[in-house]
Amino acid sequence: MADSDTKEGWSEDDSRHFIDYGAYFVPERETQVDTICSVIPSPQENALIVDICCGEGLLASALARRFSKCHILALDGSSAMLEAAGKRLDKTGASWTTSIMDIADSGWRQFDRPVHAFVSSLAVHHLDGPGKAGLFRDLATALAPGGVIVICDLVEARNQEGLTLWERHWDDGVRERATRLDGNEDMLHFFREDGWNYYSDPEADPVDMPSGLFEQLKWLEEAGLVDIDVHWLLAGHAIMSARKP
Ligand SMILES: C[S@@+](CC[C@H](N)C(=O)[O-])C[C@H]1O[C@@H](n2cnc3c(N)ncnc32)[C@H](O)[C@@H]1O
């Protein structure tokens, strides 16, 4: 989607909005980033860590700081996001590269060495179910033995009660951040009016295709991975991981 909108629907306007408002819209964002970093086993020097759909590079730069002897490859489909990620990574002093890709393509899923860790935050839901299962298979193939996949993403609710609960929890999370950052709830109103709460109307935007948590764990297992686990879940945002034996 270089310099243009994805055929699936994520646009450069969405990227700019997410850069501006992600601090409000992502519940417990700092905890999410810390959790993802914390479940990656200690890497060897020059190990490769890949952030899939890195956005503005918050997670990639946290990884670069924590694993400063590794190489961080930050991938995204948006040039606005990659530019922001590059500026952030530059300040870490770590070795890094960025590259543009479409998550739905498979051409980017080959690397110059076995990968120590794949991470992805709030993006795999841009693939449908078979697309996610295929991604997990390709990533499992590219992992080094002992390497991990760590994914944070929206997951599908199984019934109306679950949907309603996560809608409320997500609003609560945005309210908490808006109040803490600005002292008012204006950003919660914007979040609602601009349609960012997936659980209030799951059919609204075809770009969003979350799958159930259970089936994603099964796809990780079917990809040949082990130690499949869930480390954190809030407002439909789940962090799961799996290791290559
Ligand atoms: C909700 S943002 C999350 C960004 C970042 N990972 C974070 O957690 O802050 C979704 C990201 O996925 C990227 N994206 C959306 N569709 C994509 C596609 N088809 N191929 C590659 N990247 C895509 C967007 O550019 C954006 O950076």
Side-chain angles (χ1 to χ4, degrees), residues 5-149:
D5 300 345
T6 53
K7 60 182 182 304
E8 295 85 0
W10 182 276
S11 68
E12 289 293 337
D13 271 353
D14 290 329
S15 290
R16 279 183 282 271
H17 271 110
F18 201 77
I19 289 170
D20 290 342
Y21 306 124
Y24 302 93
F25 292 177
V26 182
E28 294 194 7
R29 197 178 206 188
E30 300 75 16
T31 302
Q32 291 187 30
V33 169
D34 178 66
T35 303
I36 295 167
C37 293
S38 298
V39 297
I40 296 175
S42 268
Q44 293 186 336
E45 206 160 310
N46 293 323
L48 178 60
I49 297 181
V50 181
D51 185 355
I52 300 163
C53 298
C54 62
E56 62 186 295
L58 283 177
L59 173 59
S61 57
L63 291 163
R65 289 206 163 85
R66 191 175 293 216
F67 304 116
S68 56
K69 304 273 192 251
C70 289
H71 182 82
I72 308 293
L73 172 58
L75 306 170
D76 201 276
S78 154
S79 13
M81 288 298 202
L82 287 178
E83 194 186 332
K87 284 185 185 154
R88 215 176 231 109
L89 281 162
D90 225 10
K91 295 185 187 144
T92 66
S95 159
W96 60 272
T97 20
T98 57
S99 185
I100 200 147
M101 55 51 133
D102 186 330
I103 192 174
D105 291 343
S106 50
W108 60 269
R109 299 176 191 174
Q110 290 185 354
F111 306 89
D112 65 1
R113 68 197 104 155
V115 176
H116 178 68
F118 287 105
V119 300
S120 187
S121 165
L122 309 180
V124 170
H125 66 273
H126 294 309
L127 295 172
D128 62 12
K132 291 185 193 81
L135 174 73
F136 295 171
R137 279 195 302 273
D138 289 348
L139 300 186
T141 302
L143 274 180
V148 291
I149 299 176

